[in-house]
């Protein structure tokens, strides 16, 4: 278990979360007019074991009163030095506007730094205005090299050296 934030339980993904996590992504992407790509950019949410657990990454789910309402994850990438990419940070509408996104991002950053990583990359789409605002206000710098077709922005944050 990762912990609690204002009545939300944040915990490690379990096999029984596969459909709920996929449904959250599908729902939020559709809400913002973005494509759900289960055989492309979103296959990692279907194959969490392969993309996250087997590579040294983590995939978290967020619950409220037993219902999965959000996801957040990261895995190591070959871009940069000792780098990870934060992925699949999505919240259903009922979980937004309460500081949960900021809290999740901060917790991911702490976990990533404690594991010895030095760079955090995030790809997103301009239409996800709340996400863009969160990343920019959290010290992420615009970069180049977007790899995901539906994304048009990429950010990087360099963690301090010990």
């Amino acid at each position: 278990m990762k912990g609690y934030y204002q009545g939300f339980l944040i915990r490690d993904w379990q096999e029984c979360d596969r459909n709920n996590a996929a449904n959250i992504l599908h729902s939020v992407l559709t809400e913002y007019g973005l494509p759900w790509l289960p055989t492309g950019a979103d296959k990692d949410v279907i194959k969490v074991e392969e993309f996250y657990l087997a590579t040294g990454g983590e995939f978290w789910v967020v619950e409220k009163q037993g219902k999965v309402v959000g996801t957040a994850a990261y895995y190591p990438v070959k871009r940069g030095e000792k780098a990870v990419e934060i992925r699949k940070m999505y919240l259903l509408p009922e979980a937004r506007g309460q500081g949960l996104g900021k809290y999740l991002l901060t917790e991911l950053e702490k976990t990533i730094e404690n594991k010895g990583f030095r760079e955090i990359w995030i790809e997103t789409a301009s239409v996800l205005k709340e996400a863009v605002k969160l990343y920019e206000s959290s010290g992420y710098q615009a970069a180049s090299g977007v790899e995901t077709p539906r994304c048009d922005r990429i950010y990087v944050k360099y963690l301090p050296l010990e």
Side-chain angles (χ1 to χ4, degrees), residues 8-85:
F8 293 97
L9 166 66
I10 300 153
R11 62 172 176 78
D12 287 318
W13 178 91
Q14 298 166 12
E15 203 172 326
C16 61
D17 296 316
R18 191 180 322 274
N19 289 339
N20 287 332
N23 288 339
I24 286 171
L25 259 72
H26 183 267
S27 173
V28 174
L29 290 167
T30 302
E31 174 189 349
Y32 284 91
L34 295 169
W36 158 246
L37 304 167
T39 58
D42 299 315
K43 68 181 173 219
D44 58 325
V45 79
I46 309 289
K47 299 179 177 183
V48 170
E49 298 92 337
E50 180 184 333
F51 283 87
Y52 296 93
L53 309 185
T55 63
E58 295 185 45
F59 197 105
W60 302 347
V61 295
V62 181
E63 270 185 29
K64 178 106 183 205
Q65 298 171 330
K67 178 187 177 191
V68 176
V69 295
T71 60
Y74 72 89
Y75 57 51
V77 291
K78 293 185 172 32
R79 177 186 308 198
E81 291 275 325
K82 291 188 180 174
V84 299
E85 182 177 343

Side-chain angles (χ1 to χ4, degrees), residues 84 86 109 112 118-122 140 155-157 159:
V84 299
I86 288 179
E109 289 174 351
I112 289 164
R118 292 285 147 245
E119 295 179 19
I120 303 173
W121 293 81
I122 301 175
Y140 286 81
Y155 292 94
V156 64
K157 185 174 193 175
L159 298 171

